Amino acid sequence: MSKHLQVPVWVMAIGMSVTLIGGGVVGYMTHDAATARQTTTGVPSELKQVVSTYDTIRSNYYQKTSDKKLAAGAINGMLESLGDPYSVYLANTDKSSLDSTISASFGGIGATIEQTGKTLHIQSILPDTPAKHAGLRVGDQLIAVNGKDVASMTVDKAVAKIRGKIGTQVKVTVKRQGTRHTYTMKRAKITTDTVTGALSKQNQHVGIITMATFSEPTATQFEKTVKQLRKKGATSFVLDLRGNPGGMLDSALAIASMCLKDGQTIVKVQNRAGSTQVYKAGKTYDKGFKVKEPLSILIDGNSASASEILSAALNENRAVPLVGEQSFGKGTVQNVASLNSQAEIKLTVAKWLTPKNHWINHKGLTPTVKVAYPAYAKISGIGASSLKPEQTGTDVKAMQQMLAALGFDPGTVNGYYSADTVSAVKAFQEKNGLNATGTADDTTLTTLMQALSAKFTADDPQLKAAVKAAK
């Protein structure tokens, strides 16, 4: 059993802003969306007790019951009895979140919100979106959505208010130079960038391609990114799959096929009867587009499922080096079965094997080049909005660890906000142009986490090793 390193999100990319075009993450799913079967031959004998219990509750429970809740409870109970965390019942917002993640698109306005101190601001606006056409501007302070105050909400909660069904209207109120402005917009389908690319600062001939998840547009975005980086001079590539939890099989198959010779095995999927379906590289998946340049792949304890399929396929067929830490180890396959317009179940239906018949479930992939995260990358995030002298606790300890990692001596790192810690906070505040009070207010803590995130981006020993390996 591998030990999965849970590196805080803020280390990889400080989590103080949320795009209005993004969704959550999703586990690995097959490319075929199943449809739940309807039993037409009557209730199986094993389920008669379930039906009897349902009728008894409806007729005799001392309070009025909800038929929908009782049905959902029965479905949840059946899935929970499997003891499989990947087989789950999804309804309403959970279903919508999964569907949005699969498509990497949903109803939004095309802007990004960031939290600065205790206020929310427009961080960026995408071209040709409702936000752009309406007249929202970068720097606008978000005040209200549909007339309801959101100024004191978290970024996630405010964004949830703005998102909604494509084609519906939303009113967004902002403050600009002391004046309030309200814009009425119609939500549009906005596609999330699941793939980003840039040339390595270490070597301008190496293109860094980061994939956040495997959604419907990921393969197309990958091809586009490769072409853009080639034009900029990239002659080899690093595929950064750290923190990528997986996603759709089709996307993983397409990208793997682009990087392999036609006919090479990508993955083998085996059902409970032992029947195995072998997926091989070819024009069916890559449409003839190939990536023949040298490659390396970055993985960590949060690289799972489709990330592992792609990594194993390229490693076992092309000897592409895997750099970083042991991957998650998710070797099962899920299908999504629709129950109705508001609910669906995600059910494990098979297991998958690498081209060389390895089942990596609960084991993960072992890196060819093992490179650990720096110790400071494992520091927990700070949940408090502010910290004061004489205070104690885990948040104080995390702050002390961050200060020390950035070169500011907080004294003994023990979770006690001592005089030495006050001095370190003051020094940090002075260096970053903040009011040097020695008290860690919201702005100070945000700046502190951003500074440590920037340090990781600059240091990133795993990325540096991957760049060297991409040859």
Side-chain angles (χ1 to χ4, degrees):
M1 177 73 74
S2 59
K3 295 181 179 178
H4 308 311
L5 172 64
Q6 301 296 323
V7 176
V9 172
W10 61 266
V11 174
M12 298 296 288
I14 189 70
M16 298 308 294
S17 64
V18 173
T19 177
L20 304 183
I21 62 173
V25 294
V26 61
Y28 166 76
M29 294 174 291
T30 61
H31 63 293
D32 296 318
T35 300
R37 299 178 183 177
Q38 293 184 350
T39 302
T40 57
T41 56
V43 179
S45 59
E46 294 85 357
L47 292 182
K48 288 183 178 179
Q49 293 181 59
V50 176
V51 176
S52 178
T53 301
Y54 170 78
D55 288 336
T56 300
I57 293 173
R58 290 189 69 220
S59 302
N60 299 291
Y61 189 63
Y62 82 107
Q63 291 181 342
K64 188 176 180 180
T65 60
S66 165
D67 290 350
K68 288 185 178 180
K69 285 185 178 180
L70 290 175
I75 297 170
N76 272 317
M78 283 189 284
L79 290 168
E80 287 176 3
S81 73
L82 301 175
D84 175 15
Y86 306 115
S87 294
V88 294
Y89 173 68
L90 302 169
N92 302 317
T93 55
D94 289 334
K95 177 184 182 299
S96 298
S97 178
L98 176 63
D99 294 346
S100 295
T101 303
I102 293 172
S103 65
S105 64
F106 62 88
I109 64 172
T112 299
I113 302 297
E114 68 174 344
Q115 187 169 20
T116 306
K118 295 183 178 179
T119 59
L120 303 176
H121 292 86
I122 304 295
Q123 183 187 47
S124 64
I125 298 174
L126 296 178
D128 195 25
T129 58
K132 184 69 174 179
H133 296 317
L136 283 175
R137 299 179 186 175
V138 171
D140 286 348
Q141 182 182 348
L142 182 62
I143 301 297
V145 177
N146 290 328
K148 296 184 178 180
D149 178 64
V150 298
S152 59
M153 288 185 179
T154 63
V155 175
D156 288 337
K157 289 184 178 180
V159 167
K161 296 287 185 183
I162 297 175
R163 294 172 178 169
K165 186 177 180 180
I166 296 172
T168 58
Q169 287 191 337
V170 59
K171 291 183 179 180
V172 176
T173 301
V174 298
K175 184 185 289 185
R176 182 186 306 151
Q177 297 179 343
T179 304
R180 293 168 70 98
H181 302 268
T182 298
Y183 299 92
T184 300
M185 291 165 277
K186 185 176 289 186
R187 296 181 177 99
K189 180 180 179 180
I190 312 290
T191 301
T192 305
D193 286 332
T194 61
V195 182
T196 57
L199 293 178
S200 166
K201 294 180 180 179
Q202 182 181 342
N203 184 338
Q204 292 289 297
H205 293 294
V206 180
I208 312 299
I209 301 176
T210 303
M211 287 177 270
T213 186
F214 290 84
S215 300
E216 287 177 356
T218 302
T220 300
Q221 292 174 355
F222 175 79
E223 179 179 341
K224 179 181 178 182
T225 301
V226 168
K227 291 178 179 178
Q228 290 174 338
L229 291 174
R230 281 173 174 169
K231 289 182 179 179
K232 293 179 179 180
T235 56
S236 62
F237 299 100
V238 172
L239 309 186
D240 191 347
L241 300 180
R242 291 176 296 179
N244 186 320
M248 296 187 66
L249 178 59
D250 271 354
S251 292
L253 291 174
I255 294 171
S257 185
M258 291 176 193
C259 300
L260 296 176
K261 296 179 181 178
D262 288 353
Q264 289 185 311
T265 297
I266 300 172
V267 67
K268 301 175 181 179
V269 177
Q270 190 176 88
N271 64 21
R272 68 180 182 184
S275 176
T276 301
Q277 183 171 2
V278 180
Y279 295 87
K280 296 185 177 182
K283 289 187 178 180
T284 300
Y285 299 116
D286 58 44
K287 306 296 188 296
F289 179 77
K290 294 293 184 179
V291 180
K292 299 180 181 179
E293 292 91 340
L295 301 169
S296 67
I297 299 177
L298 275 167
I299 58 173
D300 66 6
N302 295 315
S303 303
S305 194
S307 291
E308 294 171 304
I309 288 176
L310 176 60
S311 298
L314 270 56
N315 175 256
E316 293 186 359
N317 283 293
R318 279 187 58 176
V320 171
L322 306 181
V323 182
E325 300 188 333
Q326 197 84 2
S327 66
F328 185 83
K330 182 176 182 293
T332 56
V333 181
Q334 284 74 44
N335 262 347
V336 176
S338 177
L339 300 178
N340 55 54
S341 61
Q342 299 297 319
E344 60 195 14
I345 61 172
K346 185 153 68 79
L347 184 68
T348 298
V349 296
K351 65 181 183 180
W352 65 267
L353 307 174
T354 71
K356 294 185 177 180
N357 295 312
H358 296 128
W359 192 36
I360 57 93
N361 204 44
H362 299 312
K363 300 174 184 176
L365 298 170
T366 300
T368 314
V369 182
K370 295 183 180 181
V371 183
Y373 278 105
Y376 66 78
K378 302 174 186 178
I379 301 172
S380 300
I382 299 172
S385 59
S386 64
L387 296 171
K388 300 177 180 179
E390 303 297 324
Q391 205 168 329
T392 61
T394 55
D395 280 341
V396 174
K397 185 174 182 179
M399 180 183 71
Q400 291 173 326
Q401 291 173 323
M402 292 180 192
L403 287 166
L406 292 168
F408 300 91
D409 185 7
T412 304
V413 179
N414 57 4
Y416 169 61
Y417 204 140
S418 64
D420 287 336
T421 302
V422 171
S423 297
V425 171
K426 283 184 178 180
F428 175 80
Q429 291 170 327
E430 288 175 355
K431 185 174 181 180
N432 289 275
L434 304 174
N435 189 16
T437 62
T439 295
D441 59 8
D442 189 43
T443 302
T444 298
L445 294 177
T446 297
T447 305
L448 181 63
M449 288 189 285
Q450 289 173 334
L452 198 58
S453 177
K455 175 178 172 60
F456 174 78
T457 300
D459 295 344
D460 203 346
Q462 295 172 333
L463 180 57
K464 290 178 180 177
V467 169
K468 289 182 179 179
K471 59 183 180 180

